Amino acid sequence: MRALKVPAIKKRISPVLQFLAVVGIALTASTELRAQVGNWPLAWAQWHNETRDWGGIRTNLSDEGLDLGVLYTQDVAANPVGGLNQSATYGARLEGMAMLDFEKIFGIKGSSLHYIMYQGLGQGLSQEVIGNDFGVTQIFSSDILAIANFSLEHNLLNDQLYLSAGRLAVGDIFARDDTFAYYLNGALNSTPGQLLINQPTFTTYPFNIWGLAGNYTFPGNQYVSLGVYDASVDDLNNAENGFNFRFAPKGNVLMVGQVGVNPGKDDTSKYLPGHYQLGAFYNTGKVDVLGTTTTETREGNWGAYAIARQMIYQEKDLQGLSLWALVTIAPQQAINTQPLGISGGLFYQGLIPNRDNDVTAGAFILGYFSDHLPGQSYELVFEATHRYQFADWSYLSLDFQYVVNPAGNDDIPDAWVFGTEFSVKF
C-alpha cells in the first residue's frame, strides 16, 4: 500500500462525490459489475458497452474512481397448453450500478465499494399463470425498486484471496456456475432452485441479505470458499421492502462452505475447460415443520450440493460441447420441501456455422417433494434454448420448456412454454 497524501485525496475525490450526489438520487438499478468467483465465460464487466464511452464521461469518471453501468433484460413467455390458466407475460429488470475504486481514490489496492439497484417490471408466468415451483422466466423479481447489492470488496495476495461484506446474495459465490445463465428457467439461473425452495435465505441475485464471504484460490485453480450470513427471513431484501436494511438475526445464522477446481482455466493447461464444486450449508435457526397446522418447529437445518461442468469436445477457444450436472440434498424431510434435486444438461457454443458466439443448450430440472407433503410427488422441467449473441453487449434467446407435474401436483395439467429473453447493456 502506498503512502496516503491528504491533499491528493481531497483533490481526486471531489468530482466523484459531486457526481455521486446526483447518482444517489437519479440512478436506478444495475447489473453485476461486482467481483465474483469463476465468472467464466459470462462476466458482464468484460463486455463492451453499446453506448461505449458516453462522450468521454465514462472514462473521465473511471479515471477518478467511479465506474457506472446500466443493463436492461426482459423475458416474454406464454403457455398455450397446461397450467392453472393459459396466458402470456412480460417480465423485465432495469439495473444500474456504481462502483467506487478505492485504489484510485484512496490508494487502497484491490478495494472497492459496490452499489447496485434494480427496478422490476411486469410479472412472472409461473407465479401468475402456471402455478409451478421452478420459475420458467428467471428475470422477473417483483415489480419494485430495490437494492440488489451494497458491499465492500477486497482482493489480497495478488488476487488469490477475495473478501466481500455487506448486503450480499449467497449465490454470488456459492452453488453457481455462470454458464447456467444460458437458460431462462430460474431454477438454474443462477443458483439451483431446489436450494432456494428449502432455504429462502440462500439468496440468489438480485435478492440479498447481510453477510461476510471469502474465497481463496490455490495454484492449480483449486479454491475454497466460506461464508456466514444472517438467516432471518424478516431481514431479506424481499418483495415487500426493497430497501430493507434490517439486521435482527435472532440467532439465525446460515454458514456455507465450498471447495472446487477449474481445470483448463489457463491457456497453457492440457485439460479442456471445466468446473467442479462441492458445498454444504447449515442454518442454526428454527424451521417450521411441513404439513402441520400448528407452530411446530425444528432447530437446525443442513444440506449439500455438487455441481460439475466439463467441455468434452473443443473446436477452438470456447467453441465446443460441454456437459454439466448438479445434485442437491436436504435430508430432513420434515422441514425441507424438496429433499432431493437432480439436474443436468449440455450446451454447444458455435454450433451454427459462422455464429461462433451463439450458444445452443438443453437441460432438465427435477425436484422431489417431501413425504410430509401429501399429493405432491415431483416437478420436472425440460428446457431447450438458443442464444443469438448479436454483439458482446446484446443477445436474444429463443426458448421452449415443458413442465411436468407443476408443483408436484397431478391436478395441474402439464404445461408447454414458449419464451424469449432479450438483453442489452449500455
Side-chain angles (χ1 to χ4, degrees):
M1 181 187 303
R2 65 175 184 261
L4 299 181
K5 297 181 181 179
V6 176
I9 293 174
K10 289 182 178 178
K11 199 172 189 179
R12 300 196 70 184
I13 197 172
S14 176
V16 172
L17 293 181
Q18 291 175 12
F19 191 85
L20 280 179
V22 179
V23 171
I25 298 173
L27 183 64
T28 59
S30 91
T31 189
E32 339 174 14
L33 185 54
R34 53 189 182 201
Q36 292 180 347
V37 177
N39 279 345
W40 178 90
L42 298 175
W44 83 267
Q46 297 174 358
W47 290 10
H48 296 292
N49 303 293
E50 180 192 7
T51 48
R52 303 307 179 195
D53 198 26
W54 297 356
I57 295 176
R58 187 193 295 268
T59 294
N60 292 337
L61 290 172
S62 181
D63 289 343
E64 295 293 340
L66 175 62
D67 290 314
L68 299 175
V70 178
L71 180 75
Y72 172 78
T73 306
Q74 69 172 38
D75 289 340
V76 177
N79 64 316
V81 177
L84 296 172
N85 299 289
Q86 290 76 52
S87 185
T89 61
Y90 156 86
R93 197 160 63 220
L94 177 64
E95 305 169 82
M97 65 78 53
M99 184 190 78
L100 285 175
D101 187 333
F102 285 172
E103 182 174 359
K104 294 179 180 178
I105 299 172
F106 300 114
I108 305 175
K109 186 176 181 180
S111 185
S112 57
L113 179 68
H114 297 245
Y115 180 66
I116 303 176
M117 293 183 62
Y118 71 93
Q119 173 65 60
L121 303 166
Q123 59 184 342
L125 191 68
S126 287
Q127 297 87 335
E128 305 293 337
V129 181
I130 299 175
N132 69 310
D133 282 6
F134 296 141
V136 295
T137 55
Q138 58 86 17
I139 202 65
F140 176 71
S141 50
S142 72
D143 55 351
I144 61 169
L145 176 66
I147 293 173
N149 178 279
F150 184 65
S151 63
L152 180 64
E153 304 180 2
H154 200 73
N155 289 282
L156 300 165
L157 306 177
N158 295 319
D159 293 336
Q160 284 184 277
L161 177 62
Y162 162 73
L163 299 174
S164 181
R167 294 291 305 197
L168 311 173
V170 181
D172 283 352
I173 289 181
F174 299 97
R176 68 172 293 125
D177 188 298
D178 285 302
T179 56
F180 292 164
Y182 293 136
Y183 303 92
L184 265 64
N185 194 288
L188 294 178
N189 193 345
S190 58
T191 301
Q194 298 93 335
L195 294 176
L196 296 173
I197 290 171
N198 295 325
Q199 292 282 334
T201 53
F202 202 114
T203 53
T204 185
Y205 182 84
F207 299 102
N208 55 81
I209 203 159
W210 291 107
L212 171 65
N215 180 84
Y216 183 82
T217 302
F218 298 91
N221 293 316
Q222 299 92 1
Y223 67 87
V224 57
S225 305
L226 297 172
V228 180
Y229 302 88
D230 173 10
S232 173
V233 176
D234 291 337
D235 297 347
L236 278 170
N237 193 339
N238 52 29
E240 285 72 37
N241 189 347
F243 292 86
N244 182 11
F245 280 93
R246 178 177 173 178
F247 181 67
K250 300 177 182 178
N252 294 2
V253 177
L254 176 65
M255 296 174 284
V256 190
Q258 178 176 286
V259 294
V261 62
N262 293 290
K265 186 176 181 180
D266 299 327
D267 293 337
T268 58
S269 175
K270 63 180 179 180
Y271 302 106
L272 293 178
H275 183 202
Y276 299 84
Q277 58 180 281
L278 180 66
F281 59 87
Y282 181 75
N283 187 338
T284 64
K286 294 181 180 180
V287 185
D288 293 336
V289 173
L290 300 173
T292 63
T293 58
T294 65
T295 56
E296 182 183 357
T297 61
R298 299 280 178 87
E299 188 169 347
N301 190 15
W302 71 276
Y305 58 88
I307 300 175
R309 166 178 51 82
Q310 181 61 56
M311 176 178 279
I312 61 170
Y313 171 71
Q314 185 179 44
E315 290 186 33
K316 63 177 181 178
D317 300 327
L318 298 178
Q319 290 180 244
L321 176 65
S322 295
L323 306 180
W324 62 267
L326 71 85
V327 176
T328 65
I329 59 171
Q332 300 180 71
Q333 297 232 3
I335 56 177
N336 289 298
T337 301
Q338 291 192 7
L340 176 63
I342 303 171
S343 301
L346 54 81
F347 62 90
Y348 198 115
Q349 180 173 326
L351 180 63
I352 299 176
N354 301 318
R355 300 291 305 175
D356 294 349
N357 295 319
D358 287 3
V359 175
T360 307
F364 74 89
I365 309 161
L366 174 62
Y368 291 97
F369 287 86
S370 167
D371 293 340
H372 287 243
L373 296 173
Q376 292 180 275
S377 54
Y378 68 90
E379 178 172 315
L380 172 63
V381 178
F382 296 99
E383 180 174 6
T385 188
H386 182 83
R387 173 182 288 194
Y388 292 93
Q389 196 73 48
F390 298 130
D392 48 9
W393 44 264
S394 182
Y395 68 82
L396 171 69
S397 292
L398 302 181
D399 189 82
F400 170 75
Q401 297 179 53
Y402 182 63
V403 183
V404 182
N405 276 355
N409 192 332
D410 293 338
D411 294 335
I412 303 177
D414 296 349
W416 293 21
V417 180
F418 298 89
T420 66
E421 181 171 278
F422 173 73
S423 182
V424 59
K425 185 191 171 209
F426 300 93

